[in-house]
Structures are given as structure tokens and as C-alpha cells.
Amino acid sequence: MSVTDDRTALIALSVLCEPGNAALAELLAADGPASVLARLLAEPDASPLHQMVAARAQGRDVEGLVAGLVAAGDACGARIVTRYDAEWPEGVDDLAELFDEADPNTKPPLCLWLRGPRDLAEVAASSVSIVGARCCTPYGRNIATRLAYDLGRKQWTVVSGGAYGIDAAAHKGALSADGVTVAVLACGVDRPYPAANAGLFERIAETGLLVSEWPPGAIPQRYRFLVRNRVIAALTRGTVVVEAALRSGARHTARRALELERPLMIVPGPVTSEYSAGVHQLARGPGEVRVVTRAAEVIEDLGRIGADLAPPLCSPDAVRDTLDPLAARLVDAVPARRAASAEHIAAQAGVTVVEARRRLPELAMRGLVAYERDRYRLAGDADA
Amino acid sequence: MSVTDDRTALIALSVLCEPGNAALAELLAADGPASVLARLLAEPDASPLHQMVAARAQGRDVEGLVAGLVAAGDACGARIVTRYDAEWPEGVDDLAELFDEADPNTKPPLCLWLRGPRDLAEVAASSVSIVGARCCTPYGRNIATRLAYDLGRKQWTVVSGGAYGIDAAAHKGALSADGVTVAVLACGVDRPYPAANAGLFERIAETGLLVSEWPPGAIPQRYRFLVRNRVIAALTRGTVVVEAALRSGARHTARRALELERPLMIVPGPVTSEYSAGVHQLARGPGEVRVVTRAAEVIEDLGRIGADLAPPLCSPDAVRDTLDPLAARLVDAVPARRAASAEHIAAQAGVTVVEARRRLPELAMRGLVAYERDRYRLAGDADA
């Protein structure tokens, strides 16, 4: 019954204990998985961790247990990835630093089940999560789709949770751009939840990745969504929240992103919408939260400062907008109808006569003022 | 022709030079107004400031000039307030620290013309400016009105610029709450601009204040709006921007608020609206910009931390939301139909049998789980 292979031991531990268990993470930080597993199974101990492992193992053969898990994976086209595999996404190991008094399950995953053609380490390296409310508005859905589409086009992997609403819109947007999208689930990758998104999950499994900490067949118990959220935050370079009511689970993912010191971004909405209320509350802190309105800003905030600065938004310039302040004041002081002297214009504009005499001819040449017999008036289209 | 009274000299200087002039502010920092005025009028000097003052004075008698201004004020029910008057709002003096390479007119006003029954120093002490686009949407107008109404009800003075759109909506909101509102104008207080807001200005003059740096009769030259904006920012404890396109003048006021280190707040809107684009750009910095959605948050951000913290927004709690994490996990693990043993539930929930046996009876007492013959299942309304 003893397991000597560390990778096999990790896989066994991943089902003998709920993911993220802090007590187990502490043991694993000090000792290898095979020896930790052996101790947990052998020594009688009243600790909660020992009890949980014993209750779940029920005296079964561990090698056999893992063989069964591998077979279950094979049956549904899923593979297991651990920190001993090249495909392991290093970002999730940052969860080791996370401590939440109210939640004993915040530590790194022990193994991840994957379904899909992509290399998880590779696609996670330039990934961003887009999360939000299941109940969302057409506004939120459109924004999430558009954002994911634009990010997908720019080779960013869009990660989300596969839920109704914003999650699904984000996955779909990335798929429309032929981008890579990853759904991190709170149940087995063979039975994605919710069932109504089955078609979407199949498309993701064909081109991107379905990811779960739970083995095939695991059902999405409610608290697993919360446990799962830390993986969404840790897997990606940053998190964008699009629409969240005050009690939305997306705010939980957002908090994890902040705890991991990953950029947290929010897409604002009308303050009259309850579906944006949670997002706006996030923006008020605690923590540094960035307001984003488009993919270029998301990319900028993901931290490649310099290389990825968002191009400035501009609106059409009026001719006057191109003037320096002194020239603008002169133009303002030039009468529209009756032409005036340079002295008069200088006094009105609050500039010297010398300055006025020097700049007015230049403004006439630019077509902003008309010059007639040593006097100036506004040209016809100066207000354009 | 010489003026010995400093207050009279300030009033004269305020019309012999455009407001905020940095060169004049420098002289006034070193010497009293009467002596500065005497020097500017007496010494021939090629400096732009001397030239401007000379060009505007045109050799007129300065005592007579001021007498004329006072008479013009009397004729339209306006009074002049300078730093020698009790009503002077001290906040505007912070403009002395402001330096803008592109704008020589950022220094404190020399005098303010007022029309209305309020004491400016008093109402400015708890005031907030609400500014935004002239071209705005019904969304922005409604938000500005509502925000100003709620702030007015809470005894905050609402300051704005009297323009169409957001400005007018803010003034109206405050008036509806029987609050105090102040319009800071870029023209004389006797000829408020735009003329279509004449009715609004009369109501403000009856219950609040019309304020201007320019004497009666002054016309709203375009650059004066920019010069005026610094007074809106400096007069108030903080500035809220509601809707602004990318090139809106409201963003200029916002910049002044940041330069003065006064809280700058933005009300977000749909990212699809060009009228919120300027607001969202502000939120992305530079400078610390707060997202606000309601009056309580504005008041919180105005800096009375502790006393004025916004009450938290809450949504209705489900019974499950009141559970601690361990209890929530137990409830999640309890089967809905077929009752299960405490051991089974403990293993599913990933808690110890001891913990499960200790907590399940309590959950049964709270009506969340049903207990039958040493086994537990979900109570009928546990999912409520």
C-alpha cells in the first residue's frame, strides 16, 4: 500500500484532502509528498487532516486509487498535471503565501486536471481572467465579449469560470477571435457545470483548456466555487471584473487577485445598475484597483509598462485647440465683426502690445483672424 | 490719482490685470497692494505686466475707476469681497502654490464679486463642486441632480459653473433640496451666461451665491472659463466629475483639484458612452481619483474620515450567508434527499467527524438540516 513516487503521492493526496488545505501544505513544505502521504496514512493522529485523509481513504490501496483516477482521466480525455510536470503553471505556487483566517483552503493546488490541446504553462504566461456576475445585463455581456475578443486577438489567453453570464460571454469572445480560452471549473472536467454550457465547454476543450482541481466525476459543491476562485486569480497575470452585484462571487476572485498582488481591474457601468454596484465598490478599495474601458488598457495594466502603454484616446481637434495659451487668448480677444487695433486686442487679452503685434500676423496666416488696414477681426471659420 | 487703501488697490488691480496673473501675484507676495499698484502705474517698465496695466488704465483716475466699479456692483446688487473682508473664502489662497507652465493665470483671485444672500466663507467651508459636460446624457443629468440633491439635504454646498448640462443639473438638484448652491461664473454676475439659464441664475442669486472674478458687465471670453475653473476647484473641499467627454472642460477643473491636492471623485458610467470616456480616463490617473456612486461616498471621500464613513451597501442575506465557513461546508455536504451519517458528511465536507458531530445538531436546530435516526439530510428550505 505504500507509495514511493512523489507525483503519485500528490495525486492521491489531492483526492484524500480538499484542495488548498493549509495543514497539508505545511507538511508538504517540509517533506516530500510520498513521505507525507505515508505518515498521514500510517500514524494514528487526532488532527483534522489525519481524520479527513483516513475517512476518505477508507483503508483503500493508494496505488490502486491513483490508477483508478488515471483511468478515469483517460476515459474522458483528461490528463493530470502536478508540479513535477513541465506543464505546471508556476503562478499558482504564489498561493503558498496566501493566508485567509476564514478559509483553510487557500494554498496551491496539488494537481490540476486538464482537458484540451494547449500547454497550460504556456497559455497561462500571458493570460488574464475576466470574471463577473452570472446574472448580468446585456451591457455587461457585450463588454465582456468585446474585451475577450480584443484580448484574444492580441494573443492573450482569457481565463474564466465557465459560469452563465459574464464568464460565458468572456469565453465566447475569446473563441470568436480564435483566441485561447481556459475555463477553471469547480467540478470534474468530464462533467462541466452548468450543463446548459455543455456546447461551450466542448468548444473550449477542442481549442483551449478545461481545468479543475477535482477529479473526473466530482460534483460542483457550493464551497468549491470559492476554493476554485483562488486558482483563477493565481493562474493569470491579472483579473478584470465586469459587472458584479454586491454579493457576487466575482468579488471573491477579485479579493484573491489583490491578495496575490496581481493587477485588479474593473469595468465601470452605470451607477444606477445593481449589477455594477459590486464592481464600483471594489473600485473604492481596499487595494489598488484600476478602471479599464478597453483591451488596450487591460494590457497596459497587466504590467508590461512601456511596451504596452495604451494608445491615447483622442477626439477630433478644433483648430483653436492647437494654439498655445497666448495665441488662444489673442484669438479670444479679436472681435468677430468690427475689426480692432493690435493695442485694443492686447489690452483685452491681457498681453503686451509687442506680443500682440508679433503673434497676430501669424494667426492671420493660419486663417484664424482676418487682417484689414492695420486692424484685426475673426476670420469666418475661426470658431470651427 | 494715488490710492493709499490696500483694499481699493486690490479692486483696481483686479480689473487692470486678468485674474490669476502670476507676475502680479509675485509682487503682491512681497509688497502691499497699494504700493504695488502705485509702482505699476508710476514706473515706466517694459514688463508685460506693466504694459497690461498701463494699457487698461489708459491714464484714468484709479479712485474713480474703483468708484465706478462699486457703483456698477450696487446697481446690480453685487458686492465685492477681497482678502480684507470677513467673507473671503480662504481655500482660494491655496492657489498661490499652483504653477502651470502653460497658463500664467493660476494664482489666487484678487477679488470676488458676489450676488446672493449667503456668506461665501461660511458656505465654502463645507462645499463640493459637481462639474461635467455641457453636452450630457439623461443618465448624467439624473445622477448630477440626485447627487446634488442628496448633498444639499446633508448641508453640503454644491458649487458648479452655471453651464448647460451637468452644471445646471447640479445647481437644480441642490435647489430642489433647499440646499445652498454657488455658481462660479466666467463673466459678470449681472449677466450670467448662458442666457437660457437666466431663470436658474435668479433662483441661485435669491438663495445661494453667484460668484465671479470679473466685474459686472464682463463678457465670458472663452479663455476665462479655463481661468475660472481653478476657483471652482480651490473654493471647495473636493470635486466630483459627472460625465465628461475626452476634451471636456470639466477635466481641466479636475486637474486643478488634483494640483491643489483636493479629493477628486468621478461618477462612472457605461464604457460605451463617449460622455463618460473623459471621466474614465481621469480614473486611470495621473493622481489619486476616487470612484463614487452616491452622496454618502462623496462625503466620505471629502476627508472627514471616521465621522462620515459611508454606510456599507448590503443586499438581502440568505440564511446560508450567515454561516461560518465550516458550517457552510457541512451544509453543502449534507445530501438533499437521502439522509447520510455524520461520518459520511464529514468526509464529503473535508472536516473531522468530531467537528461534524459537534456542528450538525446546531445546524438542525437552526432549521438548515433535518435529523432523522442519527442521519442528516437538507431541510426543505435550506437553499432559501
Side-chain angles (χ1 to χ4, degrees), chain A residues 12-29:
Chain A
L13 285 167
S14 80
V15 295
L16 294 177
C17 181
E18 275 297 305
N21 186 286
L24 179 55
E26 202 176 313
L27 297 181
L28 287 171

Side-chain angles (χ1 to χ4, degrees), chain B residues 51-69:
Chain B
Q51 287 197 26
M52 186 192 315
V53 170
R56 289 193 176 193
Q58 294 178 315
R60 281 181 293 178
D61 168 61
V62 175
E63 294 276 12
L65 176 71
V66 173
L69 287 170

